[in-house]
């Protein structure tokens, strides 16, 4: 029997919303579009909801989108708790009539759906309940099509795994996208490439680097970054850590940032890469 695949998205950030949803639109049956009915973020700040809805309506040429407003800006909870609550709500809604549910954020683009679906088939056959899939973390745009990208100390590709990018219908989330369910993991090398992960992490299969999801996390203008810091589930951490100032420095001095990589701490190691770019999307 053919696998039934749904997805959910949470509307907040228009920057890469169009490219993200279009990258996997053809392979899913239904997309739950989750958003706060009062256009508020998890921290209570205003969101450009109408702009996001306009982008979704324009790209939804086959009527796959299922709009599910709710109340997710709960002041009695912190931003990560609100993040997890909205994801769990959307995941439960997307689980209806599905075998698996995609969990791609709207700043993540899937360049190779054929590879992704192949890994998902093998994850399903293995009996796993969640699938870890590598994402290339793009830090800042140096010029069109040219980015600072997370790397190892010697400029090799380092991937990130913010949580399973696909889970079985009915999965329970613990924090944001993370779950304690049994995992099937793909990576770009036969061993763990995530600086945050333990070296002994099991990798079940290897995928080409050009098939990894592209995560345009901090790829935007300084003004947009400041707004994202305000509404993100990680806003408290970002405000306290000084990450915004580090991003500004790297954006203004990309070459020196790359040259310092062999001597930099983890999470401050970057290389220059050429990948797909969408400079005019979400404007």
């Amino acid at each position: 029997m053919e696998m039934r695949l749904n997805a959910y998205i949470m509307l907040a950030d228009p920057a890469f919303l169009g490219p993200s949803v279009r990258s996997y639109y053809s392979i899913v049956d239904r997309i739950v579009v989750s958003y706060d009915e009062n256009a508020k973020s998890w921290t209570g700040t205003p969101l450009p909801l109408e702009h996001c809805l306009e982008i979704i309506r324009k790209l939804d040429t086959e009527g796959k989108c299922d709009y599910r407003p709710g109340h997710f800006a709960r002041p009695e909870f912190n931003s990560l708790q609100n993040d997890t609550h909205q994801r769990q709500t959307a995941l439960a809604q997307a689980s209806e009539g599905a075998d698996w549910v995609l969990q791609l954020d709207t700043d993540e683009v899937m360049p190779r759906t054929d590879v992704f679906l192949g890994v998902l088939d093998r994850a399903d056959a293995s009996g796993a309940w969640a699938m870890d899939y590598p994402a290339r973390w793009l830090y800042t745009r140096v010029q069109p099509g040219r980015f600072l990208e997370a790397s190892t100390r010697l400029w090799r590709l380092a991937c990130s795994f913010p949580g399973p990018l696909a889970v079985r219908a009915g999965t329970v989330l613990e924090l944001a996208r993370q779950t304690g369910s049994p995992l099937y993991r793909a990576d770009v090398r036969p061993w763990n490439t995530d600086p945050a992960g333990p070296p002994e992490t099991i990798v079940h299969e290897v995928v080409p680097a050009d098939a990894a999801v592209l995560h345009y996390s901090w790829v935007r203008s300084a003004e947009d970054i400041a707004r994202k810091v305000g509404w993100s589930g990680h806003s408290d951490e970002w405000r306290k850590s000084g990450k915004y100032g580090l991003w500004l420095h790297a954006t203004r001095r990309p070459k020196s940032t790359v040259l310092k990589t062999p001597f930099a701490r983890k999470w401050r190691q970057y290389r220059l890469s050429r990948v797909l770019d969408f400079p005019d999307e979400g404007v």
Side-chain angles (χ1 to χ4, degrees), residues 37 105 132 137-138 144 236 266 272:
E37 58 195 12
D105 282 355
D132 260 351
W137 196 70
L138 305 177
D236 291 341
K266 287 182 179 180
L272 281 170

Side-chain angles (χ1 to χ4, degrees), residues 177-199:
R177 280 181 279 189
Q178 298 170 19
T179 175
S181 301
L183 280 167
Y184 184 92
R185 188 180 182 100
D187 207 329
V188 298
R189 292 194 286 278
W191 53 86
N192 171 59
T193 64
D194 182 2

Side-chain angles (χ1 to χ4, degrees), residues 30-37 66-72 86 89-90 92-94 96:
R30 184 166 60 93
I31 303 171
V32 166
V33 181
S34 177
Y35 57 93
D36 184 76
E37 58 195 12
D66 177 5
Y67 298 89
R68 300 291 187 105
H71 180 56
F72 306 113
Q86 184 173 4
T89 300
Q93 293 164 341
E96 299 166 8

Side-chain angles (χ1 to χ4, degrees), residues 19-281:
S20 175
V21 176
R22 280 194 292 269
S23 73
Y24 60 81
Y25 185 84
S26 64
I27 67 171
V28 298
D29 297 310
R30 184 166 60 93
I31 303 171
V32 166
V33 181
S34 177
Y35 57 93
D36 184 76
E37 58 195 12
N38 297 312
K40 298 290 186 181
S41 74
W42 299 316
T43 61
T45 58
L47 294 174
L49 178 60
E50 285 306 316
H51 188 186
C52 293
L53 287 169
E54 179 184 354
I55 292 171
I56 292 297
R57 291 178 186 128
K58 187 177 296 184
L59 66 81
D60 186 22
T61 56
E62 299 179 30
K64 294 184 177 184
C65 290
D66 177 5
Y67 298 89
R68 300 291 187 105
H71 180 56
F72 306 113
R74 306 173 302 168
E76 65 272 26
F77 295 95
N78 65 40
S79 55
L80 270 176
Q81 289 172 319
N82 283 334
D83 176 340
T84 307
H85 171 64
Q86 184 173 4
R87 288 181 191 276
Q88 187 67 73
T89 300
L91 172 56
Q93 293 164 341
S95 292
E96 299 166 8
D99 298 306
W100 285 79
V101 177
L102 293 187
Q103 295 196 116
L104 262 70
D105 282 355
T106 60
D107 57 1
E108 296 170 340
V109 174
M110 187 190 299
R112 294 279 306 274
T113 56
D114 58 331
V115 176
F116 190 92
L117 287 176
V119 177
L120 186 58
D121 280 338
R122 290 181 285 278
D124 183 65
S126 76
W129 269 72
M131 185 184 80
D132 260 351
Y133 191 86
R136 298 175 64 171
W137 196 70
L138 305 177
Y139 190 49
T140 189
R141 181 187 286 113
V142 175
Q143 55 185 256
R146 191 81 160 163
F147 299 84
L148 283 182
E149 175 183 21
S151 75
T152 67
R153 193 173 298 280
L154 295 179
W155 301 288
R156 296 190 73 187
L157 176 60
C159 289
S160 61
F161 295 81
L165 297 190
V167 294
R168 287 191 190 270
T171 294
V172 175
L173 302 176
E174 295 180 346
L175 182 69
R177 280 181 279 189
Q178 298 170 19
T179 175
S181 301
L183 280 167
Y184 184 92
R185 188 180 182 100
D187 207 329
V188 298
R189 292 194 286 278
W191 53 86
N192 171 59
T193 64
D194 182 2
E200 65 273 14
T201 299
I202 295 174
V203 175
H204 297 93
E205 72 171 281
V206 177
V207 299
D210 69 355
V213 163
L214 298 172
H215 188 183
Y216 295 85
S217 179
W218 282 59
V219 179
R220 56 202 76 222
S221 68
E223 293 78 12
D224 284 346
I225 283 289
R227 281 193 290 270
K228 182 172 180 177
V229 168
W231 73 51
S232 169
H234 300 280
S235 60
D236 291 341
E237 172 202 346
W238 287 348
R239 285 194 181 99
K240 296 173 183 176
S241 66
K243 287 184 178 180
Y244 180 64
L246 292 171
W247 176 85
L248 278 176
H249 177 83
T251 300
R252 292 167 179 167
R253 297 176 177 83
K255 290 183 180 179
S256 65
T257 299
V258 170
L259 289 173
K260 292 175 183 176
T261 287
F263 315 102
R265 298 177 181 176
K266 287 182 179 180
W267 305 114
R268 296 185 190 177
Q269 298 169 357
Y270 305 104
R271 67 180 193 171
L272 281 170
S273 301
R274 292 190 183 277
V275 299
L276 293 170
D277 199 0
F278 309 94
D280 299 320
E281 294 284 352

